[in-house]
Amino acid sequence: MAETIGLSILKGIVSFLINPLTYISLVAAFMIGLSRVKRDRRDFHTRVHDVLDDVKFAIVPGIIAGISILILNLLLGLVVPMGIVLAISISAILILVTGQMRFLSPAFVFILPVLAALYYEPIDLGSEWLNSWQTGFDSVSLIALALIAGLLLIVEGVLIHQNARKQTSPRLVRSKRGKLVGAHEVQRLWLLPLFLFLPSGAIEASSWWPLLEFGDQTYSFLILPLPIGFRKLIHHTLPAPEIKRNGIHVVTVGVFATLLATVSYFVNAEWLALSVFPLIVILRAAILLLHRGMNKPAYFNERNEGLVILGILPESPADQMNLQVGEVISKVNGLSLGNGTDFYTALQQNAAFCKLQVLDFNGEIRFEQRALYNDQHHELGLLFVKEQRLDDSIDYAKES
């Protein structure tokens, strides 16, 4: 049995590598990075993070999440027919091509597969191979789909909580009143290897497995490349705590959906499993609205006294100091900032050394200092909100 499962897993890995959705997702992640770097150069005349960082974020966390699904499904044996696999792939591709990463959530991706399971009638495509991709719509277990959707929402929430808050991208936007303010954007795409069982194959059923018997006595293994996306523009607060709260809310919805699907399994009620899908769509959409932050004042803005740190360039002098995004630099080399005093001008008071007076998140003052060298960034690698011409700046109320 173990050898058969191992061989099936190997075939599943091959199916993942030859699936076009794998490469469409990686290209999309690369384009996200390319767009981010272009925007960085427009706003700050420098690149903040490397263009390939988004591709690395897509692969590594997704594989780790996929392994957790693999272990769980090896025990449960949730079976999905080929027609539903195709519907999930089509749904993900349709959302990907729109570029709306905020809707690339399992809650929205599963709308098309569920509708197909309820209403789609297979048609003759003139090819036995093509017709085989339409099988199973009438026999799919809605309980299995609900369990998968709930578990994937938990995974999505964990990815948002643990990964989306890393390397958020600073940017400059226009407020409703036309004032230049700062914001942090995170646009992330994770490529999750979703381990599923298909009806028919070399893996034999046992007395306790699979959890939901599909009607066949043998099963095969498939790894479906499932992209999960997240996008958020944060202007009203610090990015990390806001993103963590967002992740917790998504996990909560996933746990609720999984519990409801579990109850439907024990009472054998597919109608209860079916109710999971409109609920998670409504709740996931509510989370999008809840975290928009509309009509809230901008956190990163120009102030009369001090400069708010909008961003810190990696491996810059500021990155090596104990400075955090969102803190306020009130003095440089004894000169108060604000009222027209430029940060660079204050630094030039001592070309070999700088001493910063910093106001932390608790309103307490501390001092940071270090030596300066000719080959280092002229502003220590700190990014601030500075009034300048932005031809394609956006209204943050529409993007948040």
Side-chain angles (χ1 to χ4, degrees), residues 7 77 176 178 198-199 211 232 235 255 276 299 320 336 369 384:
L7 181 60
K176 291 180 178 179
L198 296 174
L211 176 67
K232 185 167 180 60
H235 60 81
V255 170
V276 168
Y299 184 92
Q320 299 165 10
S336 297
Q369 54 190 10
F384 305 106

Side-chain angles (χ1 to χ4, degrees), residues 273-319:
L274 181 60
S275 70
V276 168
F277 299 102
L279 282 174
I280 61 177
V281 170
I282 293 171
L283 292 175
R284 189 65 183 88
I287 292 174
L288 289 177
L289 294 175
L290 177 66
H291 289 270
R292 288 190 70 184
M294 290 184 65
N295 302 320
K296 294 183 180 180
Y299 184 92
F300 301 95
N301 54 17
E302 289 190 299
R303 307 187 182 187
N304 292 330
E305 297 182 0
L307 293 174
V308 184
I309 300 175
L310 176 60
I312 301 175
L313 298 181
E315 301 180 4
S316 65
D319 193 32

Side-chain angles (χ1 to χ4, degrees), residues 68-79 195-197 209:
S68 65
I69 296 292
L70 164 64
I71 295 172
L72 188 61
N73 206 20
L74 283 176
L75 298 174
L76 300 179
L78 299 176
V79 181
F195 297 85
L196 298 171
F197 285 98
W209 184 94

Side-chain angles (χ1 to χ4, degrees), residues 76-96:
L76 300 179
L78 299 176
V79 181
V80 177
M82 184 57 74
I84 295 297
V85 171
L86 179 62
I88 293 174
S89 302
I90 293 174
S91 181
I93 290 174
L94 289 176
I95 298 175
L96 264 177

Side-chain angles (χ1 to χ4, degrees), residues 13-204:
I13 294 173
V14 173
S15 69
F16 177 84
L17 294 176
I18 64 175
N19 194 315
L21 186 55
T22 300
Y23 303 98
I24 293 174
S25 301
L26 292 177
V27 169
F30 178 78
M31 295 305 296
I32 289 173
L34 200 62
S35 174
R36 174 181 47 77
V37 169
K38 181 180 178 180
R39 188 181 62 246
D40 289 344
R41 296 191 185 280
R42 182 202 73 198
D43 289 356
F44 308 108
H45 309 292
T46 186
R47 183 193 68 190
V48 179
H49 299 293
D50 189 82
V51 67
L52 293 179
D53 285 355
D54 294 270
V55 178
K56 290 185 288 187
F57 278 129
I59 296 174
V60 178
I63 290 177
I64 295 173
I67 291 174
S68 65
I69 296 292
L70 164 64
I71 295 172
L72 188 61
N73 206 20
L74 283 176
L75 298 174
L76 300 179
L78 299 176
V79 181
V80 177
M82 184 57 74
I84 295 297
V85 171
L86 179 62
I88 293 174
S89 302
I90 293 174
S91 181
I93 290 174
L94 289 176
I95 298 175
L96 264 177
V97 297
T98 65
Q100 294 296 322
M101 295 302 162
R102 71 190 71 190
F103 295 114
L104 199 58
S105 163
F108 304 122
V109 169
F110 271 67
I111 293 175
L112 180 61
V114 172
L115 290 176
L118 293 175
Y119 302 111
Y120 182 74
E121 294 291 339
I123 58 176
D124 187 7
L125 299 176
S127 166
E128 184 177 345
W129 179 79
L130 290 176
N131 289 337
S132 67
W133 286 85
Q134 303 180 82
T135 59
F137 287 113
D138 56 345
S139 58
V140 61
S141 169
L142 292 176
I143 298 175
L145 280 185
L147 281 170
I148 294 171
L151 293 172
L152 287 175
L153 275 171
I154 294 174
V155 168
E156 179 192 2
V158 172
L159 287 171
I160 293 172
H161 185 276
Q162 296 296 325
N163 184 261
R165 58 191 173 94
K166 299 178 181 179
Q167 289 192 10
T168 57
S169 179
R171 61 182 302 182
L172 300 176
V173 298
R174 294 285 181 188
S175 68
K176 291 180 178 179
R177 297 181 179 180
K179 182 181 178 181
L180 192 68
V181 298
H184 269 256
E185 183 181 52
V186 53
Q187 188 167 203
R188 199 61 49 86
L189 190 149
W190 300 285
L191 182 58
L192 178 71
L194 179 58
F195 297 85
L196 298 171
F197 285 98
L198 296 174
S200 73
I203 302 176
E204 296 183 358

